[in-house]
Amino acid sequence: MGWKKIKARTWKAISLKQPYANLICSGQKSIETRKWQTKYRGDLVICSSQNPKIEPFGKALCIVEVYDIAPMQIKDEQKACIKIYPKAHSWFLRNLRVIKHPIPVKGSLSIYDLLLPDIEVESV
């Protein structure tokens, strides 16, 4: 489909440990799991946390759309790339767009606001 330019703006973002951030950006993981829920639905920048030092760490990697959240079920395990655990919620992701040149970011806990410069993304 090719690369699409997006002007600088503030996004909602979340930091994930590796290898989970890479698994989402490669399209292998389409469900993120958390022990907490959010009412937020929409675009979410996936950032890799600083630790562990698995490349690319500390960078904004891709954008996904959170379209639903529900208590995790056993049927979610494969798409979540993790076994079910107590109080887990499945965050259902779609509309994956990979950032052409991952951007260094300072992560934070929970969902946070992240100002990104002009970027190029490609839908996967």
Side-chain angles (χ1 to χ4, degrees):
M1 293 182 57
W3 296 98
K4 176 184 173 187
K5 292 183 181 183
I6 299 177
K7 293 285 187 190
R9 61 171 268 209
T10 299
W11 300 81
K12 294 295 184 186
I14 194 165
S15 293
L16 307 180
K17 290 190 178 290
Q18 292 288 25
Y20 301 111
N22 283 346
L23 289 170
I24 287 174
C25 291
S26 70
Q28 296 174 58
K29 179 175 166 70
S30 59
I31 297 175
E32 171 57 1
T33 62
R34 297 281 155 160
K35 286 187 176 182
W36 50 276
Q37 300 183 63
T38 179
K39 292 181 180 181
Y40 179 76
R41 302 293 184 273
D43 285 341
L44 188 67
V45 176
I46 301 298
C47 301
S48 59
S49 61
Q50 290 286 339
N51 289 303
K53 300 285 187 201
I54 297 172
E55 289 290 343
F57 57 88
K59 295 184 178 172
L61 305 178
C62 65
I63 303 166
V64 295
E65 177 191 353
V66 177
Y67 68 93
D68 195 16
I69 296 176
M72 187 178 185
Q73 299 179 22
I74 289 176
K75 68 179 183 172
D76 299 336
E77 289 180 339
Q78 185 175 1
K79 291 181 179 181
C81 300
I82 194 168
K83 296 280 186 193
I84 195 168
Y85 57 90
K87 299 182 182 178
H89 296 279
S90 293
W91 293 30
F92 296 93
L93 312 174
R94 65 183 174 199
N95 193 13
L96 170 61
R97 289 146 287 161
V98 175
I99 297 172
K100 187 174 188 177
H101 301 291
I103 299 163
V105 297
K106 182 176 178 3
S108 185
L109 297 176
S110 193
I111 294 176
Y112 56 96
D113 290 331
L114 177 66
L115 175 61
L116 289 180
D118 292 355
I119 58 174
E120 289 183 78
V121 298
E122 183 174 46
S123 295
V124 177

